[in-house]
Amino acid sequence: MPDTRPPVLDEIDRQLISALQINARESVAMLARQLGIARTTVTSRLARLEKAKVITGYGVRLGQRVVDGGLQAYVGITVQPRSGKEVLRRLSAMAQVQQLCAVSGEFDYVAWLRTESPEQLDQLLDQIGSVDGVEKTTTSIILSSKIDRGQPV
């Protein structure tokens, strides 16, 4: 039976993850200096965190000027009972769906969408609404980002 408990993170793990969230391209040597530990320790901790799926990838966060070039929206999605898997499969094929989260509360899912124009957003919302199993969508267009700290540890 696989171990499903969350991994235990100590203070050094948390500091390492925080440093990578600020700059995922930071060198191992610089991370070691910042944390006051050996480079080999940083390397082994990164390997352990990746193996445990605490760190699942390294990416790029776009600056506000680039992000503002298009249109972003959050969409609450209500689905019919037992249709979640099919809805997930269909939304996974839509490149403009940046993130999809199963949530508690009023909606079953909340999707973060990114499109180039209001017309593209309108077409995408029509696509999402026509997916078998989708009962209702509620859209909120993002006007501006006030705070963005990334994902907390």
Short mmCIF file of all heavy atoms in Angstrom, two decimals, residues 27-58:
data_model
loop_
_atom_site.label_atom_id
_atom_site.label_comp_id
_atom_site.label_asym_id
_atom_site.label_seq_id
_atom_site.Cartn_x
_atom_site.Cartn_y
_atom_site.Cartn_z
N SER A 27 21.53 29.12 -8.67
CA SER A 27 22.49 28.01 -8.69
C SER A 27 22.49 27.30 -7.34
O SER A 27 22.17 27.89 -6.30
CB SER A 27 23.89 28.52 -9.00
OG SER A 27 24.40 29.27 -7.91
N VAL A 28 22.90 26.04 -7.37
CA VAL A 28 23.02 25.27 -6.15
C VAL A 28 24.02 25.93 -5.21
O VAL A 28 23.80 26.01 -3.99
CB VAL A 28 23.42 23.80 -6.46
CG1 VAL A 28 23.79 23.04 -5.19
CG2 VAL A 28 22.28 23.09 -7.19
N ALA A 29 25.12 26.44 -5.77
CA ALA A 29 26.14 27.10 -4.94
C ALA A 29 25.55 28.32 -4.22
O ALA A 29 25.80 28.53 -3.03
CB ALA A 29 27.33 27.51 -5.80
N MET A 30 24.77 29.12 -4.94
CA MET A 30 24.18 30.32 -4.32
C MET A 30 23.13 29.92 -3.28
O MET A 30 23.05 30.54 -2.22
CB MET A 30 23.55 31.22 -5.39
CG MET A 30 22.98 32.50 -4.81
SD MET A 30 24.18 33.51 -3.90
CE MET A 30 25.06 34.24 -5.24
N LEU A 31 22.33 28.90 -3.58
CA LEU A 31 21.35 28.42 -2.59
C LEU A 31 22.05 27.96 -1.32
O LEU A 31 21.62 28.26 -0.21
CB LEU A 31 20.50 27.29 -3.18
CG LEU A 31 19.52 27.68 -4.29
CD1 LEU A 31 18.99 26.44 -4.99
CD2 LEU A 31 18.40 28.53 -3.74
N ALA A 32 23.16 27.24 -1.50
CA ALA A 32 23.93 26.76 -0.34
C ALA A 32 24.44 27.93 0.49
O ALA A 32 24.37 27.90 1.72
CB ALA A 32 25.09 25.88 -0.82
N ARG A 33 24.95 28.96 -0.17
CA ARG A 33 25.43 30.15 0.55
C ARG A 33 24.30 30.85 1.30
O ARG A 33 24.45 31.24 2.46
CB ARG A 33 26.10 31.14 -0.42
CG ARG A 33 27.55 30.81 -0.70
CD ARG A 33 28.29 31.96 -1.37
NE ARG A 33 27.86 32.24 -2.73
CZ ARG A 33 28.28 31.55 -3.81
NH1 ARG A 33 29.12 30.55 -3.67
NH2 ARG A 33 27.85 31.86 -5.00
N GLN A 34 23.16 31.01 0.62
CA GLN A 34 22.01 31.68 1.24
C GLN A 34 21.54 30.93 2.49
O GLN A 34 21.14 31.56 3.48
CB GLN A 34 20.85 31.78 0.25
CG GLN A 34 21.04 32.79 -0.85
CD GLN A 34 19.88 32.75 -1.85
OE1 GLN A 34 18.89 32.04 -1.68
NE2 GLN A 34 20.02 33.53 -2.91
N LEU A 35 21.55 29.60 2.42
CA LEU A 35 21.03 28.80 3.52
C LEU A 35 22.09 28.41 4.54
O LEU A 35 21.77 27.86 5.60
CB LEU A 35 20.35 27.54 2.97
CG LEU A 35 19.17 27.78 2.01
CD1 LEU A 35 18.66 26.47 1.46
CD2 LEU A 35 18.06 28.55 2.70
N GLY A 36 23.36 28.66 4.20
CA GLY A 36 24.44 28.31 5.11
C GLY A 36 24.66 26.82 5.24
O GLY A 36 24.97 26.33 6.33
N ILE A 37 24.46 26.09 4.14
CA ILE A 37 24.66 24.64 4.14
C ILE A 37 25.53 24.26 2.95
O ILE A 37 25.78 25.08 2.06
CB ILE A 37 23.31 23.87 4.08
CG1 ILE A 37 22.50 24.26 2.83
CG2 ILE A 37 22.50 24.12 5.35
CD1 ILE A 37 21.18 23.52 2.67
N ALA A 38 25.98 23.02 2.89
CA ALA A 38 26.85 22.54 1.82
C ALA A 38 26.06 22.36 0.52
O ALA A 38 24.86 22.06 0.54
CB ALA A 38 27.49 21.22 2.23
N ARG A 39 26.77 22.51 -0.61
CA ARG A 39 26.13 22.30 -1.92
C ARG A 39 25.59 20.88 -2.04
O ARG A 39 24.51 20.67 -2.61
CB ARG A 39 27.12 22.58 -3.05
CG ARG A 39 27.40 24.05 -3.22
CD ARG A 39 28.32 24.29 -4.36
NE ARG A 39 29.60 23.61 -4.07
CZ ARG A 39 30.66 23.66 -4.82
NH1 ARG A 39 30.66 24.34 -5.93
NH2 ARG A 39 31.77 23.04 -4.47
N THR A 40 26.32 19.91 -1.52
CA THR A 40 25.85 18.53 -1.60
C THR A 40 24.55 18.34 -0.82
O THR A 40 23.69 17.55 -1.21
CB THR A 40 26.92 17.54 -1.07
OG1 THR A 40 27.31 17.94 0.24
CG2 THR A 40 28.14 17.51 -1.99
N THR A 41 24.40 19.09 0.26
CA THR A 41 23.16 19.03 1.05
C THR A 41 22.01 19.60 0.23
O THR A 41 20.91 19.02 0.21
CB THR A 41 23.31 19.80 2.37
OG1 THR A 41 24.41 19.25 3.10
CG2 THR A 41 22.05 19.73 3.21
N VAL A 42 22.25 20.72 -0.45
CA VAL A 42 21.21 21.31 -1.31
C VAL A 42 20.82 20.31 -2.39
O VAL A 42 19.62 20.06 -2.64
CB VAL A 42 21.68 22.64 -1.94
CG1 VAL A 42 20.69 23.12 -2.99
CG2 VAL A 42 21.86 23.70 -0.86
N THR A 43 21.80 19.72 -3.05
CA THR A 43 21.53 18.77 -4.13
C THR A 43 20.73 17.57 -3.63
O THR A 43 19.75 17.16 -4.27
CB THR A 43 22.87 18.31 -4.76
OG1 THR A 43 23.57 19.46 -5.23
CG2 THR A 43 22.63 17.36 -5.92
N SER A 44 21.12 17.02 -2.50
CA SER A 44 20.40 15.84 -2.00
C SER A 44 18.99 16.21 -1.54
O SER A 44 18.04 15.44 -1.74
CB SER A 44 21.18 15.16 -0.87
OG SER A 44 21.29 15.99 0.26
N ARG A 45 18.83 17.39 -0.94
CA ARG A 45 17.48 17.82 -0.52
C ARG A 45 16.58 18.06 -1.74
O ARG A 45 15.41 17.69 -1.73
CB ARG A 45 17.55 19.07 0.36
CG ARG A 45 17.97 18.74 1.78
CD ARG A 45 18.06 20.00 2.64
NE ARG A 45 18.45 19.67 4.00
CZ ARG A 45 17.60 19.58 5.01
NH1 ARG A 45 16.32 19.79 4.83
NH2 ARG A 45 18.04 19.29 6.22
N LEU A 46 17.13 18.68 -2.78
CA LEU A 46 16.34 18.89 -4.00
C LEU A 46 15.90 17.55 -4.58
O LEU A 46 14.74 17.38 -4.97
CB LEU A 46 17.14 19.68 -5.04
CG LEU A 46 17.31 21.16 -4.75
CD1 LEU A 46 18.25 21.80 -5.77
CD2 LEU A 46 15.97 21.87 -4.74
N ALA A 47 16.82 16.59 -4.64
CA ALA A 47 16.48 15.27 -5.16
C ALA A 47 15.38 14.62 -4.32
O ALA A 47 14.42 14.03 -4.86
CB ALA A 47 17.73 14.39 -5.21
N ARG A 48 15.49 14.72 -2.99
CA ARG A 48 14.48 14.14 -2.10
C ARG A 48 13.13 14.83 -2.28
O ARG A 48 12.09 14.17 -2.36
CB ARG A 48 14.94 14.25 -0.64
CG ARG A 48 13.95 13.64 0.35
CD ARG A 48 14.45 13.70 1.79
NE ARG A 48 14.93 14.99 2.22
CZ ARG A 48 14.15 16.01 2.63
NH1 ARG A 48 12.84 15.88 2.63
NH2 ARG A 48 14.69 17.15 3.02
N LEU A 49 13.13 16.16 -2.37
CA LEU A 49 11.88 16.91 -2.54
C LEU A 49 11.23 16.61 -3.89
O LEU A 49 10.00 16.55 -4.00
CB LEU A 49 12.15 18.41 -2.37
CG LEU A 49 12.54 18.85 -0.96
CD1 LEU A 49 13.03 20.29 -0.96
CD2 LEU A 49 11.38 18.67 0.01
N GLU A 50 12.04 16.43 -4.92
CA GLU A 50 11.50 16.07 -6.23
C GLU A 50 10.93 14.65 -6.21
O GLU A 50 9.84 14.41 -6.73
CB GLU A 50 12.57 16.21 -7.31
CG GLU A 50 12.94 17.66 -7.58
CD GLU A 50 14.20 17.81 -8.42
OE1 GLU A 50 14.82 16.79 -8.80
OE2 GLU A 50 14.56 18.96 -8.71
N LYS A 51 11.66 13.72 -5.62
CA LYS A 51 11.20 12.33 -5.55
C LYS A 51 9.89 12.22 -4.78
O LYS A 51 9.00 11.45 -5.14
CB LYS A 51 12.27 11.46 -4.91
CG LYS A 51 11.90 9.99 -4.88
CD LYS A 51 13.01 9.14 -4.27
CE LYS A 51 12.57 7.69 -4.25
NZ LYS A 51 13.54 6.84 -3.60
N ALA A 52 9.77 13.02 -3.71
CA ALA A 52 8.55 13.00 -2.89
C ALA A 52 7.42 13.81 -3.51
O ALA A 52 6.34 13.91 -2.93
CB ALA A 52 8.87 13.54 -1.49
N LYS A 53 7.68 14.40 -4.67
CA LYS A 53 6.68 15.22 -5.39
C LYS A 53 6.29 16.48 -4.63
O LYS A 53 5.21 17.03 -4.82
CB LYS A 53 5.45 14.41 -5.75
CG LYS A 53 5.72 13.16 -6.52
CD LYS A 53 5.57 13.37 -7.98
CE LYS A 53 5.66 12.08 -8.76
NZ LYS A 53 6.93 11.83 -9.34
N VAL A 54 7.19 16.93 -3.72
CA VAL A 54 6.99 18.23 -3.09
C VAL A 54 7.29 19.30 -4.14
O VAL A 54 6.55 20.26 -4.29
CB VAL A 54 7.91 18.40 -1.86
CG1 VAL A 54 7.85 19.83 -1.32
CG2 VAL A 54 7.52 17.40 -0.78
N ILE A 55 8.37 19.10 -4.88
CA ILE A 55 8.69 19.94 -6.03
C ILE A 55 8.35 19.13 -7.26
O ILE A 55 8.91 18.06 -7.49
CB ILE A 55 10.19 20.34 -6.05
CG1 ILE A 55 10.53 21.19 -4.82
CG2 ILE A 55 10.53 21.09 -7.33
CD1 ILE A 55 12.01 21.53 -4.70
N THR A 56 7.39 19.63 -8.06
CA THR A 56 6.95 18.87 -9.23
C THR A 56 7.40 19.51 -10.54
O THR A 56 7.07 19.01 -11.61
CB THR A 56 5.42 18.72 -9.24
OG1 THR A 56 4.82 20.01 -9.24
CG2 THR A 56 4.96 17.91 -8.04
N GLY A 57 8.11 20.63 -10.45
CA GLY A 57 8.59 21.26 -11.67
C GLY A 57 9.12 22.65 -11.37
O GLY A 57 8.96 23.17 -10.26
N TYR A 58 9.76 23.20 -12.36
CA TYR A 58 10.31 24.54 -12.27
C TYR A 58 9.73 25.32 -13.44
O TYR A 58 9.65 24.80 -14.55
CB TYR A 58 11.85 24.50 -12.35
CG TYR A 58 12.46 23.68 -11.24
CD1 TYR A 58 12.59 22.31 -11.34
CD2 TYR A 58 12.88 24.29 -10.07
CE1 TYR A 58 13.14 21.55 -10.31
CE2 TYR A 58 13.43 23.54 -9.03
CZ TYR A 58 13.56 22.18 -9.17
OH TYR A 58 14.09 21.44 -8.15
#
